[in-house]
Amino acid sequence: MKKIKSSFYKAKKGVEISTISTNAHLEASEKQLGEKLEKERKKLAKFQNKLYAHAKYSVLICFQGMDTAGKDSLIREVFKDLNARGVVVHSFKTPTPKELKHDYLWRHYIALPERGKFGVFNRTHYENVLVTKVHPTYILNEHLPTVNTLADIDDDFWEKRYQQLNNFEKNLVENGTIIFKFFLHISKEEQRHRLLRRLNKEEKNWKFSASDIEERKLWDDYQLAYQEAIDKTNTAYAPWYIIPSDNKKEARLIVADILYDELKDYDVKEPTLDPKTKANLVNYIKQLENE
């Protein structure tokens, strides 16, 4: 199996998504991929226990990708060994009327993980420069004081929004949140196969929506929106990782490996007992044993 290096998947300056392969080619069997993922999950679970006890950092893991990119199954498989009380998953759909009465980041702020916990965003604050970039009419629903018509949603508008996202993440990082941003990169052909699978398997039909076909027609527009969003918001403190995702099992392993590889270097330790308690441990044990 090829060695997975975090740096290989980090987005570079001036990224061009179309030049990046949607296959990782790890040269491993499904069994090998499954066994390696299990090992990485166990290491993440141990780290999570320390993170929870340490209680000074939180971890925010963001997943973006086209429909059928595999976000749901990846989240299920990568985090299944972690303690459920320490992982909170949020899926962001179309904003509700209440959410639209606040600024667009409000619903993301209130879903952030507490110190000591993992927060997983399945679709994220980046929807506000992705789906809205492809469908700018959605911005009108935000009732912004500076936006009255589509003509107001110009290049300056998007530049400001990219900067707002960078500021949002910088504030989080400076206050103890470790951020990972993953773009699950699939090919248009692989999406076609996955959509057909949903249609051909009755038990998968519920996942399909007619809008999937309409959005697919805008594939190139979405690719450009992703490319610009990644390039404008790829920072040292909150980098983007582009994960080849035509092979779901490879994608899951790569994400798990990157998470542990980066997290293990943080100074996260289980707290030590205070001197008085530590000095009396033997006495406490004897008291319990003699009950």
Side-chain angles (χ1 to χ4, degrees), residues 79-100:
F79 301 103
K80 69 194 306 181
D81 285 345
L82 276 64
N83 190 319
R85 70 177 180 175
V87 181
V88 182
V89 179
H90 290 274
S91 295
F92 294 99
K93 307 294 185 182
T94 302
T96 65
K98 180 177 181 179
E99 289 168 344
L100 286 170

Side-chain angles (χ1 to χ4, degrees), residues 229-247:
I230 291 171
D231 196 44
K232 297 284 187 180
T233 62
N234 186 43
T235 61
Y237 52 85
W240 275 100
Y241 295 87
I242 299 176
I243 309 300
S245 299
D246 278 3
N247 183 316

Side-chain angles (χ1 to χ4, degrees), residues 216-233:
R216 179 173 165 78
K217 294 175 183 177
L218 300 170
W219 179 275
D220 291 342
D221 294 335
Y222 273 107
Q223 296 299 297
L224 285 173
Y226 270 109
Q227 182 169 291
E228 185 164 15
I230 291 171
D231 196 44
K232 297 284 187 180
T233 62

Side-chain angles (χ1 to χ4, degrees), residues 22 52 90 100 103 106 124 146 169 190 208 211 216 225 235 240-242 249 265:
T22 54
Y52 189 82
H90 290 274
L100 286 170
D103 73 274
W106 176 78
T124 71
T146 57
E169 292 172 353
E190 178 60 23
F208 180 78
S211 64
R216 179 173 165 78
T235 61
W240 275 100
Y241 295 87
I242 299 176
K249 292 191 176 181
D265 292 332

Side-chain angles (χ1 to χ4, degrees), residues 92-129:
F92 294 99
K93 307 294 185 182
T94 302
T96 65
K98 180 177 181 179
E99 289 168 344
L100 286 170
K101 288 184 180 295
H102 295 270
D103 73 274
Y104 71 93
L105 285 172
W106 176 78
R107 64 176 183 159
H108 304 288
Y109 263 115
I110 62 175
L112 290 170
E114 303 169 12
R115 297 189 195 281
K117 292 189 176 184
F118 279 62
V120 180
F121 283 3
N122 182 354
R123 295 192 185 277
T124 71
H125 40 295
Y126 283 95
E127 290 292 288
N128 299 286
V129 291

Side-chain angles (χ1 to χ4, degrees), residues 60 62 105 109 112 121 124-126 162-181 229-230 232-240:
L60 176 62
C62 303
L105 285 172
Y109 263 115
L112 290 170
F121 283 3
T124 71
H125 40 295
Y126 283 95
Y162 292 133
Q163 191 56 51
Q164 289 164 358
L165 293 173
N166 286 332
N167 292 338
F168 169 62
E169 292 172 353
K170 187 175 184 180
N171 177 58
L172 296 181
V173 171
E174 289 177 347
N175 285 279
T177 299
I178 304 166
I179 300 176
F180 293 89
K181 300 183 297 194
I230 291 171
K232 297 284 187 180
T233 62
N234 186 43
T235 61
Y237 52 85
W240 275 100

